[in-house]
Amino acid sequence: NAGVTQTPKFQVLKTGQSMTLQCAQDMNHEYMSWYRQDPGMGLRLIHYSVGAGITDQGEVPNGYNVSRSTTEDFPLRLLSAAPSQTSVYFCASGPTGPQKLFFGSGTQLSVL
Amino acid sequence: DQQVKQNSPSLSVQEGRISILNCDYTNSMFDYFLWYKKYPAEGPTFLISISSIKDKNEDGRFTVFLNKSAKHLSLHIVPSQPGDSAVYFCAASALKYGGSQGNLIFGKGTKLSVKP
C-alpha cells in the first residue's frame, strides 16, 4: 500500500535553478493537490487537479507550474527557485474531491 | 485574512485527561470541517470530520463539536495518550459550492503535548 509517494524527501537548490517535485498515487484518486507548509502559516494550497488534463490555481500559485497527464502523477515544477520557496511541500489526493485528503510524507526544500 | 483560525499554538495536557483543541472560522459558506493530525517528518493524516448539518461527530476517543452560530468547532480527545502528541490542523471547505470553493482551507495548527 504505497498511497501517495513524493520524491525527493530533501532538496537543496540555488536561487534561479529549476526542479520538479514528483508525486504519484496508486489509489486511482481523481483529485490531487500540492500544499506548502511554512512555520506559523499552516498549509496553503498551491495548485490542484480534479482529473487528468485539468489543473487550477490555489492560494499561492506564483512561481509554480503543474500538469496532470495521468491520473496517477501530479508533478510540481519550480521554474526559477527563490529563497521564498524554501518550505515543506506536501502532495495530497482524494477519491473525488478535496475532502478527506491522503497526504504524502513531504519534500523539504531549501533554496539558497 | 485568515478564514480558519487556531488561536492556541500549543497545548499541554496530562495523560488520561481531556484535550480540547479549538478552531474558529469566518466564512459562512463553509459546510464541511475536518481535523488532521501531523507527526514530525510525516504528512498530515485525516482524523475526523463533521458536516454542517450535524453538531457532533464521535469516533472512539475523538469527538468534534460544531457550533455554527458561533462559527466555532472543537476537537475533544478523551482520554489523552502520549501517542496523541502531534500537531493538529483544523480545515474547512465550502463543499456544496464545488469548484475552488471546495478546496480545504487549513488553520495554522495546534501542537498538543500529552505528558505521561
Side-chain angles (χ1 to χ4, degrees), chain A residues 27-95:
Chain A
M27 298 173 282
N28 202 31
H29 286 173
E30 290 296 322
Y31 182 92
M32 295 187 75
S33 54
W34 279 99
Y35 287 85
R36 60 178 287 174
Q37 184 191 10
D38 301 295
M41 296 294 291
L43 292 153
R44 292 183 293 169
L45 182 65
I46 304 171
H47 284 286
Y48 67 99
S49 168
V50 297
I54 306 168
T55 63
D56 207 343
Q57 296 181 350
E59 182 185 356
V60 287
N62 292 341
Y64 307 96
N65 270 359
V66 292
S67 60
R68 184 96 180 270
S69 56
T70 66
T71 299
E72 295 78 20
D73 300 299
F74 191 45
L76 178 72
R77 296 183 187 84
L78 280 71
L79 309 172
S80 177
S84 61
Q85 293 179 304
T86 293
S87 187
V88 181
Y89 291 84
F90 291 101
C91 179
S93 72

Short mmCIF file of all heavy atoms in Angstrom, two decimals, chain A residues 27-95:
data_model
loop_
_atom_site.label_atom_id
_atom_site.label_comp_id
_atom_site.label_asym_id
_atom_site.label_seq_id
_atom_site.Cartn_x
_atom_site.Cartn_y
_atom_site.Cartn_z
N MET A 27 -4.05 5.03 -5.73
CA MET A 27 -5.40 4.78 -5.22
C MET A 27 -6.48 5.13 -6.23
O MET A 27 -7.66 5.13 -5.91
CB MET A 27 -5.59 5.58 -3.92
CG MET A 27 -4.62 5.16 -2.82
SD MET A 27 -4.68 6.22 -1.36
CE MET A 27 -3.75 7.64 -1.92
N ASN A 28 -6.06 5.50 -7.44
CA ASN A 28 -6.99 5.88 -8.51
C ASN A 28 -7.84 7.09 -8.12
O ASN A 28 -9.02 7.18 -8.49
CB ASN A 28 -7.89 4.70 -8.90
CG ASN A 28 -8.47 4.86 -10.30
OD1 ASN A 28 -7.83 5.44 -11.18
ND2 ASN A 28 -9.67 4.36 -10.49
N HIS A 29 -7.24 7.99 -7.36
CA HIS A 29 -7.95 9.20 -6.94
C HIS A 29 -8.01 10.21 -8.06
O HIS A 29 -7.03 10.44 -8.76
CB HIS A 29 -7.25 9.83 -5.73
CG HIS A 29 -7.48 9.07 -4.46
ND1 HIS A 29 -6.82 9.38 -3.29
CD2 HIS A 29 -8.30 8.03 -4.17
CE1 HIS A 29 -7.22 8.57 -2.34
NE2 HIS A 29 -8.12 7.75 -2.85
N GLU A 30 -9.17 10.84 -8.22
CA GLU A 30 -9.32 11.87 -9.24
C GLU A 30 -8.66 13.19 -8.83
O GLU A 30 -8.12 13.91 -9.63
CB GLU A 30 -10.81 12.10 -9.53
CG GLU A 30 -11.49 10.94 -10.26
CD GLU A 30 -10.91 10.73 -11.65
OE1 GLU A 30 -10.58 11.73 -12.33
OE2 GLU A 30 -10.76 9.56 -12.06
N TYR A 31 -8.79 13.53 -7.56
CA TYR A 31 -8.34 14.83 -7.06
C TYR A 31 -6.92 14.73 -6.52
O TYR A 31 -6.61 13.84 -5.73
CB TYR A 31 -9.29 15.32 -5.97
CG TYR A 31 -8.95 16.68 -5.41
CD1 TYR A 31 -9.50 17.84 -5.94
CD2 TYR A 31 -8.09 16.81 -4.32
CE1 TYR A 31 -9.20 19.09 -5.42
CE2 TYR A 31 -7.77 18.05 -3.80
CZ TYR A 31 -8.34 19.19 -4.35
OH TYR A 31 -8.03 20.42 -3.84
N MET A 32 -6.07 15.67 -6.96
CA MET A 32 -4.71 15.76 -6.41
C MET A 32 -4.37 17.22 -6.19
O MET A 32 -4.91 18.12 -6.88
CB MET A 32 -3.69 15.11 -7.35
CG MET A 32 -3.88 13.61 -7.50
SD MET A 32 -2.57 12.81 -8.43
CE MET A 32 -1.22 12.80 -7.23
N SER A 33 -3.49 17.47 -5.24
CA SER A 33 -3.18 18.85 -4.89
C SER A 33 -1.78 18.94 -4.31
O SER A 33 -1.21 17.95 -3.85
CB SER A 33 -4.20 19.39 -3.89
OG SER A 33 -4.29 18.54 -2.75
N TRP A 34 -1.25 20.17 -4.34
CA TRP A 34 0.02 20.49 -3.71
C TRP A 34 -0.18 21.58 -2.68
O TRP A 34 -0.82 22.60 -2.96
CB TRP A 34 1.04 20.97 -4.75
CG TRP A 34 1.72 19.88 -5.51
CD1 TRP A 34 1.42 19.42 -6.75
CD2 TRP A 34 2.83 19.10 -5.06
NE1 TRP A 34 2.28 18.41 -7.10
CE2 TRP A 34 3.15 18.20 -6.08
CE3 TRP A 34 3.59 19.09 -3.88
CZ2 TRP A 34 4.20 17.29 -5.97
CZ3 TRP A 34 4.64 18.18 -3.77
CH2 TRP A 34 4.93 17.29 -4.81
N TYR A 35 0.40 21.35 -1.49
CA TYR A 35 0.39 22.34 -0.42
C TYR A 35 1.82 22.65 -0.03
O TYR A 35 2.71 21.84 -0.18
CB TYR A 35 -0.34 21.80 0.82
CG TYR A 35 -1.84 21.72 0.69
CD1 TYR A 35 -2.46 20.62 0.12
CD2 TYR A 35 -2.64 22.75 1.17
CE1 TYR A 35 -3.84 20.54 0.02
CE2 TYR A 35 -4.03 22.69 1.07
CZ TYR A 35 -4.61 21.58 0.49
OH TYR A 35 -5.98 21.50 0.39
N ARG A 36 2.01 23.84 0.52
CA ARG A 36 3.26 24.15 1.18
C ARG A 36 2.98 24.49 2.62
O ARG A 36 1.94 25.07 2.95
CB ARG A 36 4.03 25.28 0.47
CG ARG A 36 3.32 26.60 0.39
CD ARG A 36 4.20 27.66 -0.30
NE ARG A 36 5.30 28.10 0.57
CZ ARG A 36 6.26 28.92 0.18
NH1 ARG A 36 6.29 29.40 -1.05
NH2 ARG A 36 7.22 29.29 1.01
N GLN A 37 3.92 24.08 3.49
CA GLN A 37 3.78 24.37 4.91
C GLN A 37 4.98 25.20 5.36
O GLN A 37 6.13 24.76 5.25
CB GLN A 37 3.70 23.09 5.74
CG GLN A 37 3.46 23.39 7.22
CD GLN A 37 3.62 22.20 8.12
OE1 GLN A 37 4.09 21.14 7.72
NE2 GLN A 37 3.21 22.35 9.37
N ASP A 38 4.69 26.36 5.86
CA ASP A 38 5.72 27.25 6.38
C ASP A 38 5.48 27.46 7.87
O ASP A 38 4.33 27.40 8.33
CB ASP A 38 5.67 28.59 5.65
CG ASP A 38 5.89 28.42 4.16
OD1 ASP A 38 6.99 27.99 3.79
OD2 ASP A 38 4.95 28.69 3.37
N PRO A 39 6.53 27.71 8.63
CA PRO A 39 6.38 27.89 10.08
C PRO A 39 5.34 28.98 10.39
O PRO A 39 5.42 30.09 9.84
CB PRO A 39 7.78 28.32 10.53
CG PRO A 39 8.69 27.73 9.50
CD PRO A 39 7.95 27.80 8.21
N GLY A 40 4.39 28.65 11.23
CA GLY A 40 3.38 29.63 11.64
C GLY A 40 2.35 29.96 10.58
O GLY A 40 1.54 30.87 10.77
N MET A 41 2.37 29.22 9.44
CA MET A 41 1.46 29.56 8.35
C MET A 41 0.47 28.45 8.02
O MET A 41 -0.39 28.63 7.18
CB MET A 41 2.25 29.90 7.08
CG MET A 41 3.13 31.11 7.20
SD MET A 41 2.16 32.61 7.40
CE MET A 41 1.40 32.75 5.79
N GLY A 42 0.59 27.31 8.64
CA GLY A 42 -0.31 26.23 8.27
C GLY A 42 -0.01 25.70 6.88
O GLY A 42 1.08 25.88 6.34
N LEU A 43 -1.00 25.08 6.28
CA LEU A 43 -0.88 24.51 4.94
C LEU A 43 -1.60 25.41 3.95
O LEU A 43 -2.77 25.75 4.14
CB LEU A 43 -1.51 23.11 4.91
CG LEU A 43 -0.78 22.05 5.72
CD1 LEU A 43 -1.74 20.97 6.18
CD2 LEU A 43 0.34 21.44 4.88
N ARG A 44 -0.90 25.78 2.88
CA ARG A 44 -1.52 26.64 1.88
C ARG A 44 -1.50 25.94 0.53
O ARG A 44 -0.49 25.38 0.11
CB ARG A 44 -0.77 27.98 1.80
CG ARG A 44 -0.92 28.82 3.06
CD ARG A 44 -0.22 30.17 2.92
NE ARG A 44 1.23 30.03 2.84
CZ ARG A 44 2.05 31.01 2.50
NH1 ARG A 44 1.57 32.21 2.19
NH2 ARG A 44 3.36 30.79 2.47
N LEU A 45 -2.62 26.03 -0.17
CA LEU A 45 -2.81 25.32 -1.44
C LEU A 45 -2.09 26.05 -2.57
O LEU A 45 -2.28 27.25 -2.78
CB LEU A 45 -4.31 25.21 -1.74
CG LEU A 45 -4.70 24.47 -3.01
CD1 LEU A 45 -4.30 23.00 -2.92
CD2 LEU A 45 -6.20 24.61 -3.24
N ILE A 46 -1.29 25.29 -3.33
CA ILE A 46 -0.54 25.87 -4.45
C ILE A 46 -1.30 25.68 -5.76
O ILE A 46 -1.66 26.63 -6.44
CB ILE A 46 0.86 25.23 -4.56
CG1 ILE A 46 1.63 25.36 -3.25
CG2 ILE A 46 1.65 25.90 -5.69
CD1 ILE A 46 2.93 24.57 -3.21
N HIS A 47 -1.52 24.43 -6.12
CA HIS A 47 -2.28 24.04 -7.32
C HIS A 47 -3.06 22.79 -7.01
O HIS A 47 -2.70 22.02 -6.12
CB HIS A 47 -1.34 23.77 -8.50
CG HIS A 47 -0.76 24.96 -9.16
ND1 HIS A 47 -1.48 25.79 -9.99
CD2 HIS A 47 0.50 25.46 -9.12
CE1 HIS A 47 -0.69 26.75 -10.43
NE2 HIS A 47 0.52 26.59 -9.93
N TYR A 48 -4.10 22.56 -7.79
CA TYR A 48 -4.85 21.34 -7.64
C TYR A 48 -5.36 20.86 -8.99
O TYR A 48 -5.35 21.60 -9.99
CB TYR A 48 -6.01 21.51 -6.64
CG TYR A 48 -7.12 22.44 -7.10
CD1 TYR A 48 -8.29 21.93 -7.64
CD2 TYR A 48 -6.99 23.81 -6.96
CE1 TYR A 48 -9.30 22.78 -8.05
CE2 TYR A 48 -8.00 24.67 -7.37
CZ TYR A 48 -9.16 24.15 -7.90
OH TYR A 48 -10.17 24.98 -8.31
N SER A 49 -5.80 19.59 -9.00
CA SER A 49 -6.31 18.99 -10.23
C SER A 49 -7.49 18.10 -9.89
O SER A 49 -7.43 17.31 -8.94
CB SER A 49 -5.20 18.15 -10.88
OG SER A 49 -5.72 17.35 -11.92
N VAL A 50 -8.56 18.22 -10.66
CA VAL A 50 -9.75 17.40 -10.41
C VAL A 50 -9.80 16.19 -11.34
O VAL A 50 -10.76 15.41 -11.29
CB VAL A 50 -11.04 18.22 -10.52
CG1 VAL A 50 -11.06 19.31 -9.46
CG2 VAL A 50 -11.20 18.83 -11.90
N GLY A 51 -8.79 16.03 -12.17
CA GLY A 51 -8.71 14.86 -13.03
C GLY A 51 -7.63 15.06 -14.07
O GLY A 51 -7.09 16.17 -14.22
N ALA A 52 -7.30 14.02 -14.78
CA ALA A 52 -6.26 14.10 -15.81
C ALA A 52 -6.61 15.18 -16.82
O ALA A 52 -7.75 15.26 -17.30
CB ALA A 52 -6.10 12.75 -16.50
N GLY A 53 -5.62 16.03 -17.09
CA GLY A 53 -5.79 17.10 -18.06
C GLY A 53 -6.41 18.37 -17.52
O GLY A 53 -6.53 19.36 -18.23
N ILE A 54 -6.77 18.36 -16.22
CA ILE A 54 -7.43 19.53 -15.62
C ILE A 54 -6.64 19.98 -14.40
O ILE A 54 -6.45 19.22 -13.45
CB ILE A 54 -8.87 19.18 -15.17
CG1 ILE A 54 -9.66 18.57 -16.33
CG2 ILE A 54 -9.56 20.42 -14.62
CD1 ILE A 54 -10.96 17.96 -15.90
N THR A 55 -6.16 21.23 -14.45
CA THR A 55 -5.46 21.80 -13.29
C THR A 55 -5.98 23.21 -13.04
O THR A 55 -6.53 23.85 -13.94
CB THR A 55 -3.94 21.85 -13.50
OG1 THR A 55 -3.64 22.73 -14.59
CG2 THR A 55 -3.37 20.47 -13.79
N ASP A 56 -5.77 23.67 -11.83
CA ASP A 56 -6.20 25.03 -11.48
C ASP A 56 -5.34 25.55 -10.35
O ASP A 56 -4.64 24.79 -9.65
CB ASP A 56 -7.67 25.05 -11.07
CG ASP A 56 -8.32 26.41 -11.35
OD1 ASP A 56 -7.58 27.41 -11.55
OD2 ASP A 56 -9.55 26.48 -11.36
N GLN A 57 -5.36 26.87 -10.18
CA GLN A 57 -4.53 27.52 -9.18
C GLN A 57 -5.19 27.50 -7.82
O GLN A 57 -6.41 27.58 -7.69
CB GLN A 57 -4.27 28.97 -9.60
CG GLN A 57 -3.49 29.11 -10.89
CD GLN A 57 -3.24 30.56 -11.25
OE1 GLN A 57 -3.79 31.47 -10.64
NE2 GLN A 57 -2.40 30.79 -12.24
N GLY A 58 -4.34 27.43 -6.82
CA GLY A 58 -4.80 27.55 -5.44
C GLY A 58 -4.51 28.92 -4.89
O GLY A 58 -4.52 29.92 -5.63
N GLU A 59 -4.19 28.97 -3.63
CA GLU A 59 -3.99 30.24 -2.92
C GLU A 59 -2.66 30.91 -3.25
O GLU A 59 -2.56 32.13 -3.33
CB GLU A 59 -4.09 29.96 -1.42
CG GLU A 59 -3.95 31.16 -0.51
CD GLU A 59 -3.94 30.76 0.96
OE1 GLU A 59 -4.11 29.54 1.26
OE2 GLU A 59 -3.74 31.64 1.82
N VAL A 60 -1.60 30.09 -3.45
CA VAL A 60 -0.25 30.63 -3.64
C VAL A 60 0.42 30.01 -4.86
O VAL A 60 1.42 29.29 -4.75
CB VAL A 60 0.61 30.44 -2.37
CG1 VAL A 60 0.17 31.38 -1.27
CG2 VAL A 60 0.57 29.00 -1.88
N PRO A 61 -0.07 30.26 -6.09
CA PRO A 61 0.43 29.56 -7.27
C PRO A 61 1.68 30.16 -7.92
O PRO A 61 2.33 29.49 -8.74
CB PRO A 61 -0.75 29.67 -8.24
CG PRO A 61 -1.38 30.99 -7.89
CD PRO A 61 -1.21 31.13 -6.39
N ASN A 62 2.01 31.40 -7.58
CA ASN A 62 3.08 32.08 -8.31
C ASN A 62 4.43 31.40 -8.14
O ASN A 62 4.86 31.09 -7.04
CB ASN A 62 3.18 33.54 -7.85
CG ASN A 62 1.96 34.34 -8.27
OD1 ASN A 62 1.23 33.96 -9.16
ND2 ASN A 62 1.75 35.46 -7.60
N GLY A 63 5.10 31.16 -9.28
CA GLY A 63 6.42 30.53 -9.27
C GLY A 63 6.37 29.03 -9.44
O GLY A 63 7.42 28.37 -9.45
N TYR A 64 5.16 28.49 -9.57
CA TYR A 64 4.98 27.04 -9.70
C TYR A 64 4.12 26.71 -10.91
O TYR A 64 3.18 27.43 -11.24
CB TYR A 64 4.28 26.47 -8.46
CG TYR A 64 4.90 26.82 -7.14
CD1 TYR A 64 4.42 27.90 -6.41
CD2 TYR A 64 5.95 26.06 -6.61
CE1 TYR A 64 4.97 28.23 -5.18
CE2 TYR A 64 6.50 26.38 -5.38
CZ TYR A 64 6.00 27.47 -4.68
OH TYR A 64 6.55 27.77 -3.45
N ASN A 65 4.47 25.58 -11.55
CA ASN A 65 3.64 25.04 -12.62
C ASN A 65 3.29 23.59 -12.31
O ASN A 65 4.08 22.89 -11.64
CB ASN A 65 4.39 25.06 -13.96
CG ASN A 65 4.17 26.35 -14.71
OD1 ASN A 65 3.44 27.23 -14.27
ND2 ASN A 65 4.82 26.48 -15.85
N VAL A 66 2.14 23.15 -12.79
CA VAL A 66 1.75 21.75 -12.64
C VAL A 66 1.18 21.25 -13.96
O VAL A 66 0.79 22.02 -14.83
CB VAL A 66 0.70 21.55 -11.53
CG1 VAL A 66 1.27 21.81 -10.15
CG2 VAL A 66 -0.54 22.40 -11.79
N SER A 67 1.13 19.94 -14.07
CA SER A 67 0.45 19.28 -15.19
C SER A 67 -0.11 17.97 -14.67
O SER A 67 0.37 17.44 -13.66
CB SER A 67 1.43 19.04 -16.35
OG SER A 67 2.50 18.21 -15.93
N ARG A 68 -1.11 17.44 -15.35
CA ARG A 68 -1.71 16.17 -14.93
C ARG A 68 -2.02 15.37 -16.19
O ARG A 68 -3.12 15.39 -16.71
CB ARG A 68 -3.00 16.44 -14.14
CG ARG A 68 -3.64 15.19 -13.57
CD ARG A 68 -3.25 14.94 -12.17
NE ARG A 68 -3.85 13.74 -11.63
CZ ARG A 68 -5.04 13.71 -10.99
NH1 ARG A 68 -5.74 14.83 -10.84
NH2 ARG A 68 -5.51 12.58 -10.51
N SER A 69 -1.00 14.68 -16.66
CA SER A 69 -1.17 13.90 -17.89
C SER A 69 -1.77 12.52 -17.60
O SER A 69 -2.36 11.90 -18.49
CB SER A 69 0.17 13.75 -18.63
OG SER A 69 1.13 13.17 -17.76
N THR A 70 -1.63 12.03 -16.38
CA THR A 70 -2.22 10.75 -16.00
C THR A 70 -2.96 10.91 -14.68
O THR A 70 -2.73 11.89 -13.94
CB THR A 70 -1.16 9.65 -15.82
OG1 THR A 70 -0.33 9.99 -14.69
CG2 THR A 70 -0.28 9.51 -17.06
N THR A 71 -3.80 9.97 -14.34
CA THR A 71 -4.49 10.01 -13.04
C THR A 71 -3.51 9.88 -11.89
O THR A 71 -3.69 10.47 -10.84
CB THR A 71 -5.53 8.86 -12.97
OG1 THR A 71 -6.48 9.04 -14.00
CG2 THR A 71 -6.24 8.85 -11.61
N GLU A 72 -2.43 9.11 -12.12
CA GLU A 72 -1.52 8.77 -11.03
C GLU A 72 -0.55 9.87 -10.65
O GLU A 72 -0.13 9.98 -9.51
CB GLU A 72 -0.71 7.51 -11.40
CG GLU A 72 -1.54 6.24 -11.55
CD GLU A 72 -2.26 6.18 -12.87
OE1 GLU A 72 -1.87 6.89 -13.83
OE2 GLU A 72 -3.25 5.43 -12.95
N ASP A 73 -0.11 10.67 -11.61
CA ASP A 73 1.02 11.58 -11.38
C ASP A 73 0.62 13.05 -11.41
O ASP A 73 -0.18 13.47 -12.26
CB ASP A 73 2.10 11.33 -12.43
CG ASP A 73 2.63 9.91 -12.39
OD1 ASP A 73 3.17 9.54 -11.33
OD2 ASP A 73 2.48 9.19 -13.39
N PHE A 74 1.25 13.81 -10.52
CA PHE A 74 0.94 15.24 -10.45
C PHE A 74 2.22 15.97 -10.04
O PHE A 74 2.40 16.37 -8.89
CB PHE A 74 -0.18 15.49 -9.44
CG PHE A 74 -0.75 16.88 -9.46
CD1 PHE A 74 -1.06 17.52 -10.65
CD2 PHE A 74 -1.03 17.55 -8.27
CE1 PHE A 74 -1.61 18.78 -10.68
CE2 PHE A 74 -1.58 18.82 -8.28
CZ PHE A 74 -1.87 19.44 -9.48
N PRO A 75 3.14 16.20 -10.97
CA PRO A 75 4.41 16.85 -10.64
C PRO A 75 4.26 18.36 -10.45
O PRO A 75 3.43 19.01 -11.10
CB PRO A 75 5.29 16.54 -11.86
CG PRO A 75 4.32 16.34 -12.98
CD PRO A 75 3.08 15.75 -12.38
N LEU A 76 5.08 18.90 -9.57
CA LEU A 76 5.11 20.33 -9.30
C LEU A 76 6.46 20.88 -9.76
O LEU A 76 7.50 20.41 -9.32
CB LEU A 76 4.94 20.60 -7.80
CG LEU A 76 5.00 22.06 -7.35
CD1 LEU A 76 3.74 22.80 -7.79
CD2 LEU A 76 5.17 22.15 -5.83
N ARG A 77 6.43 21.87 -10.64
CA ARG A 77 7.67 22.42 -11.20
C ARG A 77 7.93 23.81 -10.62
O ARG A 77 7.04 24.67 -10.63
CB ARG A 77 7.58 22.51 -12.72
CG ARG A 77 7.46 21.17 -13.39
CD ARG A 77 7.45 21.28 -14.90
NE ARG A 77 7.16 20.00 -15.52
CZ ARG A 77 5.94 19.51 -15.71
NH1 ARG A 77 4.89 20.23 -15.35
NH2 ARG A 77 5.76 18.33 -16.24
N LEU A 78 9.15 23.99 -10.13
CA LEU A 78 9.62 25.30 -9.74
C LEU A 78 10.42 25.84 -10.92
O LEU A 78 11.41 25.24 -11.33
CB LEU A 78 10.51 25.24 -8.50
CG LEU A 78 9.80 25.13 -7.16
CD1 LEU A 78 9.16 23.77 -6.97
CD2 LEU A 78 10.76 25.44 -6.03
N LEU A 79 9.98 26.95 -11.46
CA LEU A 79 10.55 27.45 -12.70
C LEU A 79 11.90 28.11 -12.48
O LEU A 79 12.84 27.90 -13.25
CB LEU A 79 9.57 28.42 -13.34
CG LEU A 79 8.14 27.87 -13.48
CD1 LEU A 79 7.19 28.96 -13.94
CD2 LEU A 79 8.11 26.69 -14.43
N SER A 80 12.01 28.94 -11.47
CA SER A 80 13.24 29.65 -11.13
C SER A 80 13.22 29.85 -9.62
O SER A 80 12.58 30.77 -9.13
CB SER A 80 13.32 30.98 -11.87
OG SER A 80 14.47 31.70 -11.48
N ALA A 81 13.85 28.94 -8.91
CA ALA A 81 13.72 28.89 -7.45
C ALA A 81 14.17 30.20 -6.78
O ALA A 81 15.17 30.83 -7.19
CB ALA A 81 14.52 27.72 -6.89
N ALA A 82 13.40 30.56 -5.76
CA ALA A 82 13.70 31.75 -4.96
C ALA A 82 13.75 31.35 -3.48
O ALA A 82 13.08 30.40 -3.08
CB ALA A 82 12.64 32.82 -5.19
N PRO A 83 14.51 32.08 -2.67
CA PRO A 83 14.57 31.74 -1.23
C PRO A 83 13.19 31.69 -0.57
O PRO A 83 12.98 30.93 0.37
CB PRO A 83 15.44 32.87 -0.65
CG PRO A 83 16.33 33.25 -1.79
CD PRO A 83 15.47 33.13 -3.03
N SER A 84 12.24 32.48 -1.09
CA SER A 84 10.88 32.48 -0.52
C SER A 84 10.15 31.15 -0.75
O SER A 84 9.10 30.90 -0.15
CB SER A 84 10.05 33.61 -1.13
OG SER A 84 9.94 33.44 -2.53
N GLN A 85 10.72 30.30 -1.60
CA GLN A 85 10.11 29.00 -1.85
C GLN A 85 10.69 27.90 -0.94
O GLN A 85 10.30 26.74 -1.07
CB GLN A 85 10.27 28.61 -3.32
CG GLN A 85 9.47 29.52 -4.25
CD GLN A 85 9.64 29.17 -5.71
OE1 GLN A 85 10.76 29.13 -6.23
NE2 GLN A 85 8.54 28.95 -6.40
N THR A 86 11.57 28.30 -0.06
CA THR A 86 12.04 27.37 0.97
C THR A 86 10.84 26.99 1.83
O THR A 86 10.18 27.85 2.42
CB THR A 86 13.13 28.02 1.84
OG1 THR A 86 14.29 28.23 1.04
CG2 THR A 86 13.47 27.13 3.03
N SER A 87 10.54 25.70 1.89
CA SER A 87 9.32 25.26 2.56
C SER A 87 9.28 23.74 2.59
O SER A 87 10.16 23.07 2.04
CB SER A 87 8.09 25.80 1.80
OG SER A 87 6.89 25.53 2.49
N VAL A 88 8.26 23.21 3.22
CA VAL A 88 7.97 21.78 3.12
C VAL A 88 6.76 21.63 2.22
O VAL A 88 5.73 22.29 2.45
CB VAL A 88 7.70 21.16 4.50
CG1 VAL A 88 7.42 19.66 4.34
CG2 VAL A 88 8.88 21.37 5.43
N TYR A 89 6.88 20.80 1.22
CA TYR A 89 5.82 20.64 0.23
C TYR A 89 5.14 19.29 0.41
O TYR A 89 5.80 18.25 0.52
CB TYR A 89 6.41 20.74 -1.19
CG TYR A 89 6.89 22.13 -1.51
CD1 TYR A 89 8.16 22.56 -1.13
CD2 TYR A 89 6.06 23.03 -2.18
CE1 TYR A 89 8.59 23.85 -1.40
CE2 TYR A 89 6.48 24.32 -2.47
CZ TYR A 89 7.75 24.72 -2.07
OH TYR A 89 8.16 26.00 -2.34
N PHE A 90 3.82 19.32 0.42
CA PHE A 90 3.03 18.11 0.55
C PHE A 90 2.12 17.94 -0.65
O PHE A 90 1.43 18.87 -1.06
CB PHE A 90 2.17 18.15 1.82
CG PHE A 90 2.95 18.06 3.08
CD1 PHE A 90 3.21 19.20 3.83
CD2 PHE A 90 3.42 16.84 3.54
CE1 PHE A 90 3.94 19.12 5.01
CE2 PHE A 90 4.14 16.74 4.72
CZ PHE A 90 4.40 17.89 5.45
N CYS A 91 2.12 16.74 -1.17
CA CYS A 91 1.17 16.35 -2.19
C CYS A 91 0.05 15.58 -1.51
O CYS A 91 0.29 14.84 -0.54
CB CYS A 91 1.87 15.47 -3.23
SG CYS A 91 0.79 14.88 -4.55
N ALA A 92 -1.18 15.76 -1.99
CA ALA A 92 -2.31 15.07 -1.38
C ALA A 92 -3.29 14.65 -2.47
O ALA A 92 -3.38 15.30 -3.51
CB ALA A 92 -3.00 15.97 -0.36
N SER A 93 -4.02 13.58 -2.21
CA SER A 93 -5.03 13.13 -3.17
C SER A 93 -6.31 12.76 -2.46
O SER A 93 -6.31 12.46 -1.25
CB SER A 93 -4.50 11.93 -3.98
OG SER A 93 -4.44 10.77 -3.18
N GLY A 94 -7.41 12.80 -3.19
CA GLY A 94 -8.71 12.44 -2.66
C GLY A 94 -9.52 11.71 -3.72
O GLY A 94 -9.32 11.96 -4.91
N PRO A 95 -10.41 10.81 -3.31
CA PRO A 95 -11.15 9.98 -4.27
C PRO A 95 -11.91 10.77 -5.32
O PRO A 95 -11.82 10.46 -6.51
CB PRO A 95 -12.12 9.19 -3.37
CG PRO A 95 -11.51 9.20 -2.02
CD PRO A 95 -10.77 10.51 -1.91
#
